[in-house]
Amino acid sequence: MSAFAFAQQDMTRILFILDASNSMNGKWGYETKIDLAKEILTKTVDSLSGVDNLELGLRVYGHQSPITATYQDCADTKLEVPFYAGNESKIKGKIKTIEAKGTTPIARSLEAAAGDFPDNKSRNIIILITDGVEECDDEPCVIADKLRAKGIKISPFIIGLGLDTAYLAKFDCVGQFANADDKKSFEVLLKTVVDKALVNTTVQVNLNRIDGRPLETNSTLFFYEAGTKKLVYSYMHTLNENNLPDTIVIDPNRKYDLVVNTLPRVEKKNITIKKYQHNIIEVDCPQGYLDVKIRNKSTDYYFTYRVVQADKTITLNHQELEQKQKYIVGEYKVEIYTLPRITMDATISQSKTTTLTIDAPGRAKLRSYNYNTGQIFVFRNGEWEWVCDINAKTTQQEFVLQPGNYKIVYRDVTAKATEYTKNQEFRITSNRTISINL
């Protein structure tokens, strides 16, 4: 049974229109499209058995007259199972017998479907499953106007494999469409369409830019039961074919806390979903990009850096050099894990990339006859600043250091007097290696 059957309070009638034209005999993965469509449609019908205030019907086209080189039957469309309560077994049985053989009279099937519904008092929904384009001489938009006059809502679902994408625009005037990439996505999309038809309560999350346009996307949405840590839904936000936030279906009988997993995350509390209408949740999520690069490098270097909001202390993200990442518009501190560490300010602006650059490092190779304990310092801002310790358990080591003036303060690990301390200054230049004998 559908997860949203509890919301069925008024009569809903769903007419499935199945494409059984010859093109549906084409392979999709390891199966033919017609076998795959029949399998998933059968499962869908079975899942709707017993739902209150719901009646189903089945119309098929392209299954009665074989297409030939000289003839195509544009009248080949038939209501195979009319609407009545408890007809799910009849529909499943009919689906088993269908063979794909003919042409694709989409518009005429939609026109005929207007007479399939007993009245216009119920919520009348058409779900069209097809892999092809209109092969006859009728325009779906003309038919759509006739159906609207009868109070019929059309929600065509389109299997996209082999479909001429230019033809998709013709469905804009008819209703909604979605393309499936494989068997799994077809099954998910068909369930989504059915759920929308049953609940008639939909949700659209607008992730708004600075100018208020809902064009931010590709962030995970977590819907928690309001006031708790109970995660109810997880979605990856998506813009549809019209570059608008995609519509989702969630249970309207509870309140939610929404978390948008941006950096930093954005939250909206105690959201109420109004039943039987389209709900729009507005969230301000203006974002830009941060990138840190090395200038004039002669080889690749691996550095990470830490990003913190300017007014916070907690680490927001650890990021690798030269890999862009989105952040909410605002001020940030960037700590780059070079030797010595570099701290920089970053301002993230809407839809722009803020690029910070650092100098290419150089290398210092230390060699000695004895084991030494010591520390390396860099001269910055008028004073010597600690960079790192040297390893007292080896006589050879190498350091990747940012350009600048350095000194090493060290002594033999076996020496028992401070006076044996030695100092040696050196300079690091980008892309060059120096040898230091201790």
Side-chain angles (χ1 to χ4, degrees):
M1 182 175 292
S2 169
F4 301 106
F6 58 82
Q8 276 305 108
Q9 297 179 359
D10 300 318
M11 174 59 72
T12 297
R13 292 188 174 97
I14 300 177
L15 177 66
F16 293 104
I17 302 181
L18 177 61
D19 181 347
S21 62
N22 184 58
S23 63
M24 289 286 282
N25 290 312
K27 287 283 189 178
W28 201 16
Y30 297 103
E31 301 175 78
T32 63
K33 287 176 279 187
I34 188 63
D35 286 344
L36 183 150
K38 288 166 62 176
E39 174 191 343
I40 294 177
L41 183 54
T42 298
K43 288 171 60 177
T44 300
V45 170
D46 189 58
S47 73
L48 297 172
S49 178
V51 175
D52 292 337
N53 295 321
L54 175 66
E55 292 184 358
L56 305 179
L58 175 67
R59 173 172 287 276
V60 185
Y61 65 77
H63 62 307
Q64 301 176 102
S65 302
I67 193 169
T68 68
T70 58
Y71 175 73
Q72 60 178 11
D73 184 2
C74 285
D76 185 0
T77 179
K78 181 181 180 182
L79 177 64
E80 291 290 354
V81 182
F83 289 104
Y84 60 89
N87 66 353
E88 293 83 10
S89 295
K90 179 81 171 181
I91 292 175
K92 290 187 292 182
K94 176 53 65 176
I95 290 173
K96 288 182 181 179
T97 68
I98 292 171
E99 296 182 6
K101 60 179 72 171
T103 190
T104 312
I106 294 175
R108 295 193 190 188
S109 295
L110 292 174
E111 183 175 20
D116 295 341
F117 295 89
D119 55 57
N120 61 0
K121 297 177 182 179
S122 62
R123 293 179 52 246
N124 295 330
I125 309 294
I126 292 176
I127 298 177
L128 169 65
I129 302 173
T130 177
D131 80 324
V133 301
E134 175 66 57
E135 294 291 347
C136 296
D137 56 356
D138 298 296
E139 282 293 332
C141 290
V142 175
I143 305 306
D145 290 337
K146 294 181 180 180
L147 293 180
R148 290 191 189 97
K150 294 179 177 290
I152 297 172
K153 178 183 176 183
I154 306 169
S155 297
F157 175 83
I158 304 168
I159 301 174
L161 188 68
L163 188 64
D164 180 3
T165 55
Y167 187 74
L168 293 179
K170 293 183 179 292
F171 282 99
D172 286 342
C173 58
V174 179
Q176 303 175 44
F177 61 83
N179 277 319
D181 297 321
D182 52 32
K183 179 178 180 179
K184 181 62 178 177
S185 63
F186 172 33
E187 189 169 9
V188 170
L189 286 171
L190 184 53
K191 181 183 184 304
T192 299
V193 171
V194 170
D195 287 340
K196 289 178 182 178
L198 291 179
V199 180
N200 200 28
T201 302
T202 54
V203 175
Q204 172 182 323
V205 179
N206 287 356
L207 303 184
N208 296 327
R209 293 185 176 182
I210 289 286
D211 60 8
R213 292 187 298 163
L215 297 178
E216 298 290 358
T217 190
N218 296 333
S219 294
T220 302
L221 308 178
F222 284 168
F223 285 88
Y224 292 91
E225 187 173 305
T228 75
K229 294 298 182 184
K230 181 181 178 182
L231 183 60
V232 184
Y233 301 102
S234 302
Y235 292 107
M236 175 58 70
H237 189 274
T238 307
L239 297 180
N240 62 24
E241 292 87 348
N242 296 317
N243 209 36
L244 295 173
D246 195 29
T247 298
I248 57 177
V249 177
I250 63 177
D251 181 355
N253 291 326
R254 64 174 90 188
K255 291 186 177 182
Y256 299 93
D257 292 336
L258 171 63
V259 173
V260 183
N261 289 284
T262 50
L263 288 173
R265 73 183 195 176
V266 179
E267 300 180 2
K268 191 157 188 171
K269 302 286 190 179
N270 208 33
I271 299 169
T272 298
I273 305 300
K274 295 181 179 179
K275 292 183 180 180
Y276 313 120
Q277 68 182 58
H278 184 58
N279 296 260
I280 297 179
I281 302 173
E282 303 280 359
V283 186
D284 291 332
C285 292
Q287 295 173 80
Y289 291 87
L290 175 63
D291 194 8
V292 178
K293 296 182 178 293
I294 301 177
R295 67 169 66 92
N296 300 323
K297 65 178 182 178
S298 61
T299 187
D300 289 329
Y301 297 94
Y302 176 77
F303 295 123
T304 60
Y305 56 96
R306 172 176 175 254
V307 181
V308 180
Q309 288 179 272
D311 58 346
K312 300 285 193 329
T313 58
I314 190 170
T315 299
L316 184 62
N317 188 32
H318 279 278
Q319 191 169 332
E320 295 183 10
L321 256 63
E322 302 186 344
Q323 291 192 11
K324 291 199 303 183
Q325 175 64 51
K326 285 196 298 185
Y327 293 89
I328 294 291
V329 167
E331 303 295 325
Y332 296 84
K333 294 284 187 182
V334 177
E335 183 181 13
I336 307 170
Y337 296 139
T338 51
L339 287 178
R341 294 193 178 187
I342 299 172
T343 302
M344 307 176 78
D345 295 325
T347 300
I348 304 300
S349 301
Q350 177 67 68
S351 304
K352 295 182 179 178
T353 298
T354 298
T355 302
L356 305 179
T357 57
I358 62 173
D359 291 326
R363 298 176 187 272
K365 291 185 176 181
L366 304 187
R367 295 186 177 87
S368 65
Y369 292 104
N370 305 313
Y371 294 100
N372 293 288
T373 182
Q375 296 178 311
I376 296 175
F377 298 83
V378 64
F379 193 72
R380 290 200 304 195
N381 301 319
E383 62 179 348
W384 290 103
E385 176 185 316
W386 174 86
V387 175
C388 63
D389 292 356
I390 65 173
N391 187 349
K393 296 182 178 180
T394 182
T395 59
Q396 296 187 42
Q397 53 195 301
E398 181 178 302
F399 297 90
V400 178
L401 302 170
Q402 289 302 115
N405 294 317
Y406 292 81
K407 71 158 31 176
I408 180 170
V409 181
Y410 65 99
R411 65 165 169 77
D412 190 309
V413 295
T414 62
K416 301 302 181 183
T418 301
E419 65 185 18
Y420 289 109
T421 298
K422 297 179 181 179
N423 290 260
Q424 190 169 162
E425 296 189 12
F426 58 95
R427 180 169 180 78
I428 293 294
T429 304
S430 291
N431 301 314
R432 296 188 63 183
T433 300
I434 65 169
S435 295
I436 302 170
N437 296 315
L438 303 181

